[in-house]
């Protein structure tokens, strides 16, 4: 155990035109510090996860966290970015700062404001998480990138439309109980499966219900060392973690395998001295339903090409042998890029401390998190367990 989460905060994700990047940062930073029961002056280092890529005019944002309290002035603050895995990159950087002895208490904030950007610009900004030299002209933007992946998967392993619709329906059903979710509506399998005016095809075989939401939001957490954590009112420890970075161009790898994801899971579980079956649940990166399907295979839940079994046979449902995305995932909760990874860690900590309310997994003891940037380029896995 290298570090533990001892406090956290999460605002509802959605459309927040009345908020700014700064106001959302301040809100969750204040709440996380209070939740941890520390004083602002106790913070040794600040890390901000903020993708931006054009969503915010203000592009130098690390010091905005200092707006939360004057006592944070002169604390080292750094903005961290790794595409859609930006939040987890900031969390892992915080863990490393503590493990190295450079900091005793670290404040990590993740934020993004996307909905105030015009639609065409949103697509352009998101496509910056791909290899523009080869993929920059992809129709439908980043959805088009995953539409190509889905097309390739269908060609190799057969039509998986039922499985994708089941994943979407599962995550929307789970999200109903999540007070932080952007869309708290059980859409049902039939709606997700059928093309309709409200659920048109977006890219390849992917329909609107296969794509995560454009969101605003923020989340924050406080990290400390294991000894200090013992004196806190609650603590959720990092049993294992891994960061694996793969080639950016999809042309340089087999995009249907998510090999970086697989390697990250292997390293993190090895670090924790655990097997996948030891986990109580997983929060995984379902930016598109095809991503969650392939991630079942990459994490070792099924063999290659058989990911559909996990959802069609109910393995990943609440109450299944490995619930996946009890929070509703990015599909229901929303995906404010820089906040997503921090959100995953916060919601996992809530599960492990028995405070997840209507999305609580029964007897949750150990949780796994997978957050990725781009098409399985930046791959982060955390294995978490409550110690207090």
């Amino acid at each position: 155990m290298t570090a533990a989460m001892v406090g956290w905060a999460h605002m509802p994700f959605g459309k927040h035109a009345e908020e700014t990047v700064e106001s959302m940062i301040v809100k969750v930073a204040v709440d996380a510090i209070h939740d941890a029961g520390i004083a602002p002056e106790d913070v040794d280092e600040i890390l901000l996860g903020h993708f931006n890529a054009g969503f915010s005019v203000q592009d130098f944002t690390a010091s905005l966290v200092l707006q939360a309290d004057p006592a944070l002035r002169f604390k080292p603050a750094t903005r961290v970015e790794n595409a859609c895995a930006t939040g987890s990159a900031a969390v892992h950087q915080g863990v490393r700062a503590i493990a190295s002895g450079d900091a005793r208490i670290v404040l990590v904030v993740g934020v993004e404001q996307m909905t105030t950007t015009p639609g065409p610009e949103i697509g352009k900004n998101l496509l910056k998480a791909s290899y523009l030299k080869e993929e920059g002209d992809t129709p439908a933007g980043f959805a088009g990138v995953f539409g190509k992946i889905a097309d390739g998967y269908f060609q190799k392993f057969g039509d998986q439309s039922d499985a994708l619709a089941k994943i979407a329906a599962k995550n929307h059903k789970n999200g109903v109980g999540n007070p932080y979710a952007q869309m708290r509506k059980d859409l049902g399998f039939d709606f997700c499966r059928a093309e309709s005016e409200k659920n048109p095809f977006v890219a390849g075989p992917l329909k609107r219900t296969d794509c995560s939401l454009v969101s605003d939001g923020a989340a924050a957490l406080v990290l400390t060392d294991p000894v200090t954590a013992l004196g806190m009112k609650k603590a959720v420890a990092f049993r294992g973690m891994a960061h694996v970075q793969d080639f950016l161009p999809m042309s340089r790898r087999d995009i249907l395998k998510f090999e970086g994801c697989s390697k990250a899971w292997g390293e993190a579980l090895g670090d924790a001295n655990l097997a996948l079956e030891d986990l109580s649940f997983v929060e995984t990166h379902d930016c598109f339903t095809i991503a969650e399907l392939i991630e079942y295979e990459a994490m070792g839940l099924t063999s290659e090409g058989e990911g559909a079994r996990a959802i069609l046979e109910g393995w990943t449902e609440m109450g299944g042998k490995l619930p996946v995305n009890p929070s509703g995932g990015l599909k229901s909760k929303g995906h404010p890029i820089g906040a997503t990874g921090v959100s995953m860690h916060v919601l996992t900590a809530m599960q492990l401390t028995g405070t997840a309310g209507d999305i609580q997994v029964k007897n949750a003891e150990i949780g796994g998190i997978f957050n990725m940037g781009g098409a399985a380029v930046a791959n982060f896995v955390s294995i978490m367990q409550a110690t207090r």
Side-chain angles (χ1 to χ4, degrees), residues 22-31 33 40 46 63-73 107 109:
E22 180 178 335
S23 69
M24 292 190 289
I25 288 172
V26 168
K27 185 174 293 186
V28 295
V30 168
D31 289 350
I33 289 170
I46 298 164
S63 285
L64 292 181
V65 186
L66 276 57
Q67 307 291 75
D69 194 282
L72 296 176
R73 189 183 183 193
L107 172 64
V109 180

Side-chain angles (χ1 to χ4, degrees), residues 327-385:
S327 70
L330 286 57
K331 188 75 228 31
S332 172
K333 184 181 62 179
H335 184 25
I337 307 297
T340 289
V342 181
S343 165
M344 288 174 148
H345 284 81
V346 168
L347 288 162
T348 295
M350 291 172 65
Q351 289 283 359
L352 297 174
T353 53
T355 58
D358 290 340
I359 59 171
Q360 182 68 51
V361 173
K362 187 177 181 180
N363 300 322
E365 295 183 355
I366 304 173
I369 300 165
F370 173 66
N371 183 202
M372 75 178 178
V377 176
N379 303 274
F380 289 82
V381 173
S382 298
I383 310 295
M384 314 291 296
Q385 183 172 17

Side-chain angles (χ1 to χ4, degrees), residues 25 49 57 90 111 301 318 332 383:
I25 288 172
V57 175
V111 69
L301 189 56
M318 290 288 273
S332 172
I383 310 295

Side-chain angles (χ1 to χ4, degrees), residues 71-212:
L72 296 176
R73 189 183 183 193
F74 303 130
K75 305 286 186 181
T78 306
R79 173 182 159 198
V80 180
E81 187 279 320
N82 214 338
C84 305
T86 287
S88 288
V91 172
H92 282 214
Q93 195 77 0
V95 172
R96 289 191 184 94
I98 289 167
S100 70
D102 287 343
R104 186 176 66 93
I105 294 178
V106 175
L107 172 64
V108 181
V109 180
V111 69
E112 211 72 60
Q113 186 165 46
M114 304 170 69
T115 68
T116 54
T117 299
E121 289 298 311
I122 291 174
K124 185 177 179 181
N125 291 348
L126 292 176
L127 200 54
K128 293 175 183 178
S130 66
Y131 186 53
L132 294 178
K133 187 176 179 180
E134 295 178 1
E135 301 152 19
D137 295 327
T138 304
F142 213 64
V145 171
F146 276 85
K148 285 184 176 180
I149 294 171
D151 270 332
Y153 193 96
F154 281 29
Q155 289 170 19
K156 187 172 183 179
F157 301 113
D159 190 325
Q160 305 294 323
S161 297
D162 284 355
L164 298 190
K166 279 278 192 181
I167 289 171
K170 167 184 70 73
N171 291 346
H172 279 294
K173 181 179 180 181
N174 290 351
V176 171
N178 184 353
Y180 305 118
Q182 181 172 352
M183 184 181 287
R184 301 180 66 188
K185 186 176 182 181
D186 185 355
L187 299 178
F189 171 77
D190 291 341
F191 179 83
C192 295
R193 179 65 178 85
E195 179 192 8
S196 65
E197 185 178 342
K198 291 185 177 180
N199 192 28
F201 282 102
V202 175
L206 302 180
K207 296 185 286 292
R208 183 174 291 165
T209 51
D210 293 304
C211 308
S212 58

